[in-house]
Amino acid sequence: MSERRVELDVLRYNPETDRTPHFQRYSVTCREEWVVLDALNHVKETVDPTLAYRWSCHMAVCGSCGMMINGEPKLACKSFLRDYPGVIRVEPLAHFPVERDLVTVIDDFIAKLTRVKPYLIPKEAKPIEAGEYRQTPAQLKRYKQFTLCINCMLCYAACPEYGMIPKFMGPAAISLAHRWNQDSRDGGRAERQEEIAATEGVWECSFTGACSEVCPEHVDPAAALQRVKIKSTIDWYLAHTMPWLNK
Amino acid sequence: MAEQVTRKPYLRELPRTLWFLRHPRYVRYMAREFSCFFIGAYTLMLVLGLKRLAEGPEAYAGFLEALASPGAIVFHLFALAFSAYHSITWFRLTPKAMPVQLGENFLPDGVIAGAHYAGWALVSLVVLWLAGAF
Ligand code: SF4
Ligand code: FES
């Protein structure tokens, strides 16, 4: 098994002692088949136990190891060292405040996620005895792709709009709202529209498409946002030209 | 007792102007957005042509003459290149915005983008026909 000396430039920030973050160079021997997360773990185990970062699953499902690797939002557990020949620059996810080292403050995203009610709001509530809410494969297919989101926030780190206008609901929250709106069992669209059809909802999106380029799960959030724009526009015209439709 | 935890989140500065130089994908996006200036300028030029036409044959002949100047030809080449870029980049995005689901499958992206190209070609033919090209 081949080994390689890997140089990592890691952004460090200690809120207790630092006024601003700074880069620190680590040099560790890594196996060629490792991912960046393995290299960080190796640094933490053998060189510097104070290095802080988040991770859990090591298999691209928990969404907690998002960071900037050579300026690109990436899951550290899905970024193979063999794809990074030179010094690897590792920074916390862009657009989020830095809590410590590679750990960011994600409260803003969590609050937005909560606001879009990303759960089933049944069209018609029925007692458990009445059985499950049924759905055909075609109805499932309609939204399946948007269920794949792992809340890793790479799309927020890629989105220039979110960087400039932090109030923007952002790609993942709107995609998840769209996921539930597209669900045949769900009746919560009107509640979610309050949040996502607003200025700081989907209309802040200028379709840069960066979110879809970086999404590790191929959710294609940019697609969801454009569909929400079209549907919201249709809503607006219907409400203004055929008000009787709104009961 | 738990140790006191210090929290002092640090927000890293972002460039406010020229932010799009941060990444090639932002530059590509700005190029797409920028292309609309040429389309807008070309539209204005067409409106000016209509105005000249309304002012009579002499004014219109002057307009046509101005169009043959080297500057106008360079402008047309730029406008053509940018509007092609604009249309191609937007057509490539249409499958994202308007997917068509048939049963359990979606129409392939190529079909949706292709339909836009077909529409483009059709409209161009109609324009050429109106202009007496055939
Ligand atoms: S949409 Fe993609 S990039 Fe954004 S949070 Fe979900 S999985 Fe991550
Ligand atoms: S550690 Fe879970 S996604 Fe990387």
Side-chain angles (χ1 to χ4, degrees):
Chain A
M1 240 171 275
S2 65
E3 293 194 331
R4 181 183 128 202
R5 197 79 190 159
V6 170
E7 314 257 16
L8 298 152
D9 264 348
V10 182
L11 197 83
R12 304 294 312 272
Y13 173 66
N14 180 344
E16 280 141 37
T17 55
D18 300 342
R19 283 188 47 225
T20 52
H22 60 275
F23 279 100
Q24 184 167 345
R25 171 75 57 99
Y26 295 108
S27 179
V28 276
T29 304
C30 298
R31 297 224 197 113
E32 195 55 38
E33 72 273 16
W34 278 5
V35 289
V36 172
L37 179 60
D38 295 320
L40 290 174
N41 284 340
H42 199 48
V43 167
K44 194 168 170 92
E45 280 159 19
T46 62
V47 187
D48 185 351
T50 68
L51 183 62
Y53 50 94
R54 288 193 181 102
W55 72 285
S56 175
C57 71
H58 197 288
M59 50 191 283
V61 294
C62 76
S64 53
C65 69
M67 48 190 83
M68 306 300 284
I69 301 180
N70 284 355
E72 193 72 19
K74 289 276 181 192
L75 295 179
C77 69
K78 215 186 168 191
S79 302
F80 286 87
L81 293 176
R82 59 172 171 263
D83 296 328
Y84 299 90
V87 178
I88 307 174
R89 201 170 77 254
V90 187
E91 297 161 88
L93 268 189
H95 305 158
F96 291 94
V98 185
E99 183 82 62
R100 177 186 294 261
D101 298 343
L102 301 172
V103 176
T104 51
V105 182
I106 59 173
D107 306 19
D108 180 57
F109 171 66
I110 301 297
K112 283 167 179 165
L113 200 57
T114 315
R115 274 163 62 192
V116 302
K117 306 192 174 158
Y119 39 80
L120 190 78
I121 302 173
K123 215 178 260 169
E124 40 196 306
K126 51 183 191 179
I128 293 182
E129 309 81 65
E132 57 281 85
Y133 294 94
R134 309 191 70 169
Q135 195 162 55
T136 65
Q139 286 169 328
L140 169 69
K141 192 68 189 267
R142 189 148 167 248
Y143 64 82
K144 180 127 191 283
Q145 150 194 12
F146 304 114
T147 66
L148 302 177
C149 176
I150 58 172
N151 301 344
C152 66
M153 294 167 284
L154 299 195
C155 49
Y156 285 75
C159 176
E161 297 294 336
Y162 180 65
M164 281 182 277
I165 305 160
K167 280 188 169 172
F168 174 36
M169 292 292 280
I174 298 177
S175 301
L176 284 164
H178 182 66
R179 174 254 175 276
W180 289 105
N181 288 346
Q182 291 290 93
D183 193 314
S184 57
R185 304 161 297 178
D186 186 89
R189 179 161 181 266
E191 292 171 49
R192 296 190 194 99
Q193 283 297 94
E194 300 268 323
E195 299 289 349
I196 66 169
T199 308
E200 280 143 10
V202 79
W203 298 111
E204 213 60 90
C205 166
S206 62
F207 205 175
T208 308
C211 49
S212 296
E213 285 180 39
V214 303
C215 175
E217 305 297 320
H218 309 290
V219 170
D220 202 351
L225 270 72
Q226 307 327 305
R227 294 173 205 175
V228 171
K229 283 182 194 170
I230 293 177
K231 282 174 180 288
S232 305
T233 308
I234 294 173
D235 282 352
W236 191 90
Y237 277 105
L238 287 182
H240 286 79
T241 57
M242 291 178 242
W244 57 89
L245 285 183
N246 297 19
K247 283 162 269 161
Chain B
M1 201 178 110
E3 229 179 285
Q4 178 71 37
V5 179
T6 309
R7 286 200 65 186
K8 197 179 68 178
Y10 183 87
L11 194 57
R12 298 176 81 194
E13 281 283 332
L14 288 175
R16 289 279 131 178
T17 48
L18 300 182
W19 58 268
F20 54 92
L21 296 180
R22 266 163 57 207
H23 199 288
R25 70 165 65 92
Y26 299 160
V27 177
R28 283 200 301 278
Y29 156 74
M30 282 306 259
R32 186 190 80 202
E33 300 291 290
F34 182 71
S35 59
C36 69
F37 281 109
F38 281 87
I39 294 174
Y42 194 82
T43 315
L44 283 180
M45 197 201 68
L46 285 182
V47 172
L48 184 74
L50 279 178
K51 184 167 175 282
R52 289 281 174 273
L53 188 63
E55 284 164 7
E58 251 167 66
Y60 190 60
F63 174 71
L64 289 183
E65 204 176 303
L67 283 190
S69 71
I73 289 170
V74 169
F75 168 74
H76 272 79
L77 288 176
F78 270 101
L80 179 66
F82 274 101
S83 53
Y85 184 77
H86 191 90
S87 310
I88 290 165
T89 46
W90 276 114
F91 284 176
R92 208 180 43 212
L93 294 173
T94 51
K96 285 186 190 288
M98 34 183 114
V100 179
Q101 189 181 355
L102 298 175
E104 284 176 44
N105 296 305
F106 287 95
L107 275 186
D109 287 2
V111 174
I112 296 180
H116 282 81
Y117 279 102
W120 186 16
L122 193 70
V123 171
S124 302
L125 282 176
V126 169
V127 170
L128 286 173
W129 175 71
L130 284 175
F134 310 116

